[in-house]
Amino acid sequence: MISSTIDFVCRNKAAALILLLLNIMLARRIVYKIEVRLNRFAREALGIGSGIRKNTIYKNMLNRLIRYVKLIINKDNRILNIIIDSSRLIIKQAGFKNPYSLYIYIFFQYINPVIGFLLVILVRKNFITAVLFGIFLFFACQNYVNTRKKDMVKKFEKHTYIIYKYLNNQISAGMRVADAIKSVYMIVTDKDIRSALVDLASRFELTNDIDACLLEFKQRFECEAAETLAVALKQGIETGNNSNIIARQEKKMFNRFIHQVKLETDMAKFRSFCAITMFCTIISIMVLIPLINDIKASLSQILIN
């Protein structure tokens, strides 16, 4: 059995490599799920130790690079300012909170494709390949950021039912809409949505300008749910009574919430089924191919004799 497996690997190196990579991917997924199940601090521990320590040469080099970038940004360049403003909005929509997120995003979105293009030109000396590689790096970063933005919108839509329910309960109990807006963040558990609601409440507390606050809030979550919530909150501030709209939206968002939970459950079942099917297929291939080779070798020996 072992010799047949070794022979199969030697004759089919590409297939063996693919099977090995698939096994590694499945093993990592299984180990991660086991770790999360067994250790309730695993999620918090995953983010520990990844940052750069203070007072290191890497930290000093990074700070120096950021100072140079800030000097370039502060110059009066109209096109550059447009890129910077759009990048700030994008990283906010994607939920990035690192103080260096703006510079990291600009590097990977605009500078990294140029570096990749130049490297391919120097190494391969092929212009078309270099252009395709630069385009790939550009759209790879854009796709990652867009995925983060879509995840943020999905999380917000999932929490709108809780937000409407809280607002409906508080307004029905006699609380003013303005006070309900300032305290709605307390019932949200997701840190990204909670941070957005905290920013909304704090800005409204400082400026008392509901239009500017809701405009920034709608830019952060570009979806129909954010637009509808903004309209309901603005009407409540202006008229002092929006309980009918809040109640209707609560019912509508509850139905959407149930539908979204059902979709996520079905998708989780489908992914689990695909993972189990792939794992069983890999095991079957690794077991059956050596057996088939042994049977073929035995039949050939019998026919020869």
Side-chain angles (χ1 to χ4, degrees):
M1 178 71 71
I2 297 176
S3 61
S4 301
T5 305
I6 295 174
D7 293 337
F8 168 74
V9 171
C10 294
R11 289 195 300 268
N12 304 277
K13 294 181 180 179
L17 181 61
I18 293 172
L19 292 174
L20 177 62
L21 292 175
L22 289 174
N23 273 313
I24 292 173
M25 292 170 61
L26 288 172
R28 287 184 62 187
R29 189 177 182 86
I30 292 170
V31 169
Y32 173 76
K33 286 184 176 296
I34 293 174
E35 182 182 4
V36 172
R37 291 275 186 179
L38 297 179
N39 186 0
R40 62 193 181 96
F41 300 109
R43 294 183 184 274
E44 291 82 3
L46 288 174
I48 294 176
S50 60
I52 302 174
R53 291 181 296 175
K54 294 182 178 180
N55 301 324
T56 63
I57 186 171
Y58 304 105
K59 184 72 172 181
N60 295 333
M61 291 174 62
L62 181 61
N63 289 332
R64 185 175 298 177
L65 177 62
I66 290 173
R67 283 200 298 271
Y68 290 145
V69 173
K70 285 182 177 179
L71 289 175
I72 297 173
I73 291 174
N74 291 332
K75 291 184 178 179
D76 189 14
N77 190 325
R78 187 174 180 181
I79 298 177
L80 185 61
N81 289 333
I82 293 173
I83 293 175
I84 297 299
D85 293 338
S86 63
S87 300
R88 284 198 179 99
L89 179 60
I90 288 171
I91 62 174
K92 184 179 291 187
Q93 291 172 344
F96 295 111
K97 297 179 181 178
N98 191 297
Y100 305 127
S101 296
L102 176 62
Y103 310 107
I104 295 172
Y105 170 75
I106 291 175
F107 174 80
F108 280 102
Q109 183 66 70
Y110 301 107
I111 302 175
N112 193 45
V114 177
I115 295 174
F117 170 80
L118 296 176
L119 287 176
V120 175
I121 285 289
L122 293 174
V123 175
R124 299 292 298 273
K125 296 180 173 58
N126 189 321
F127 180 77
I128 297 177
T129 305
V131 170
L132 292 176
F133 186 66
I135 293 173
F136 168 76
L137 291 177
F138 179 84
F139 283 104
C141 177
Q142 195 173 62
N143 182 64
Y144 174 73
V145 174
N146 288 337
T147 303
R148 287 282 302 249
K149 289 168 64 175
K150 290 179 182 178
D151 292 340
M152 287 287 291
V153 170
K154 286 181 181 179
K155 286 197 294 185
F156 175 74
E157 290 178 343
K158 192 173 181 180
H159 284 79
T160 48
Y161 158 64
I162 303 173
I163 295 172
Y164 279 116
K165 183 178 180 180
Y166 175 82
L167 293 174
N168 188 26
N169 292 337
Q170 298 301 314
I171 294 171
S172 300
M175 180 182 286
R176 294 190 308 139
V177 178
D179 296 333
I181 293 174
K182 296 174 185 177
S183 60
V184 68
Y185 68 90
M186 294 189 295
I187 49 92
V188 177
T189 56
D190 184 85
K191 59 181 181 180
D192 294 322
I193 310 302
R194 186 185 180 94
S195 175
L197 293 173
V198 167
D199 292 341
L200 173 65
S202 59
R203 184 166 183 177
F204 181 62
E205 177 72 23
L206 293 173
T207 63
N208 205 28
D209 186 356
I210 190 62
D211 292 324
C213 297
L214 292 177
L215 177 61
E216 182 181 355
F217 185 76
K218 288 187 292 184
Q219 289 177 345
R220 193 163 187 169
F221 302 102
E222 292 182 338
C223 61
E224 182 184 353
E227 293 280 349
T228 307
L229 180 61
V231 170
L233 294 178
K234 184 177 180 180
Q235 183 178 3
I237 293 293
E238 292 177 348
T239 64
N241 184 13
N242 62 345
S243 56
N244 293 331
I245 296 178
I246 296 293
R248 280 201 311 269
Q249 286 300 118
E250 179 189 353
K251 185 177 180 180
K252 179 181 177 181
M253 289 302 166
F254 176 73
N255 295 330
R256 184 177 294 183
F257 172 76
I258 296 298
H259 179 66
Q260 187 173 356
V261 170
K262 185 177 181 300
L263 288 177
E264 291 177 357
T265 304
D266 294 340
M267 184 60 67
K269 290 180 181 179
F270 177 73
R271 288 176 180 172
S272 300
F273 173 76
C274 291
I276 293 172
T277 304
M278 187 181 297
F279 186 76
C280 294
T281 303
I282 293 170
I283 297 298
S284 300
I285 292 173
M286 295 180 65
V287 172
L288 290 176
I289 290 180
L291 286 176
I292 293 172
N293 291 333
D294 288 343
I295 292 171
K296 289 171 64 177
S298 301
L299 289 174
S300 62
Q301 289 291 333
I302 291 172
L303 294 174
I304 291 172
N305 294 331

